[in-house]
Amino acid sequence: DTEALAPDAAVLLNLAEDHLDRHGTFDAYRAAKLQAFARQPPEAVAVAPVDLVDLLGGAARRVTIGPGGDLEHRDGRLWWRGDPLAAADEIRLRGAHNRENAMAAAAVCLARGVPAAAVRAALASFGGVPHRLEEVADSGGVLYVNDSKATNVASAVVGIESFPGGVHAIL
């Protein structure tokens, strides 16, 4: 469905054996996912983890996230091309997977020229989207969290791992 897609910015966060019910094989899923980058022009931005950036097609400017990347998390901080951007604990989102999502969004913004102060403010103020580790109630010392966006086992596992003390799942 992406025969003419040429986005100004595209992000690849991972490649895992997901959505095989729709795509049939992992190779077909990977090919479909990588189509987002295939027709990007040179003025576009392509963001990916350091270890996946070589898979991207198209002509977009490459921006990497993760250890050794343009935007990385180390020493409790986010670093943009060697300069401190924000303390990792300033990101309001729970879980390593959501921090990676936030890093990818920040990388797109920074690569497109959004000032670092604005990106830092957004990271500190964005509380997430409905149904994705959404805190819905706190009653009697029990935190109730809606993670109905976790539509496969891998998504549910990273959500559960976001709570170091463990969880009681209501499925």
Side-chain angles (χ1 to χ4, degrees):
D1 296 341
T2 59
E3 294 168 359
L5 180 68
D8 291 332
V11 174
L12 176 68
L13 291 173
N14 59 57
L15 281 173
E17 295 209 5
D18 292 335
H19 311 293
L20 298 187
D21 55 328
R22 175 179 165 95
H23 296 281
T25 67
F26 176 71
D27 288 340
Y29 172 61
R30 178 180 157 209
K33 203 168 188 178
L34 294 175
Q35 279 297 306
F37 305 92
R39 285 168 291 287
Q40 282 189 291
E43 63 275 10
V45 174
V47 174
V50 172
D51 60 338
L52 295 177
V53 73
D54 290 339
L55 299 176
L56 307 182
R61 231 174 345 130
R62 303 298 193 248
V63 177
T64 55
I65 58 173
D70 294 300
L71 183 61
E72 63 178 325
H73 174 224
R74 64 178 156 80
D75 306 324
R77 298 191 63 78
L78 296 182
W79 297 82
W80 172 246
R81 296 183 174 159
D83 293 325
L85 176 65
D89 62 4
E90 292 174 351
I91 299 173
R92 287 190 52 206
L93 300 172
R94 179 189 302 273
H97 66 300
N98 279 327
R99 280 191 301 279
E100 184 178 25
N101 293 342
M103 285 177 60
V108 168
C109 293
L110 292 162
R112 300 294 281 174
V114 174
V119 173
R120 188 172 27 263
L123 290 171
S125 65
F126 180 67
V129 297
H131 314 295
R132 181 161 292 189
L133 293 180
E134 175 188 19
E135 295 183 10
V136 293
D138 190 335
S139 177
V142 176
L143 176 64
Y144 292 85
V145 177
N146 175 356
D147 196 28
S148 58
K149 185 72 171 146
T151 57
N152 60 45
V153 172
S155 295
V157 167
V158 296
I160 290 168
E161 289 174 343
S162 299
F163 298 89
V167 301
H168 293 280
I170 302 170
L171 305 172

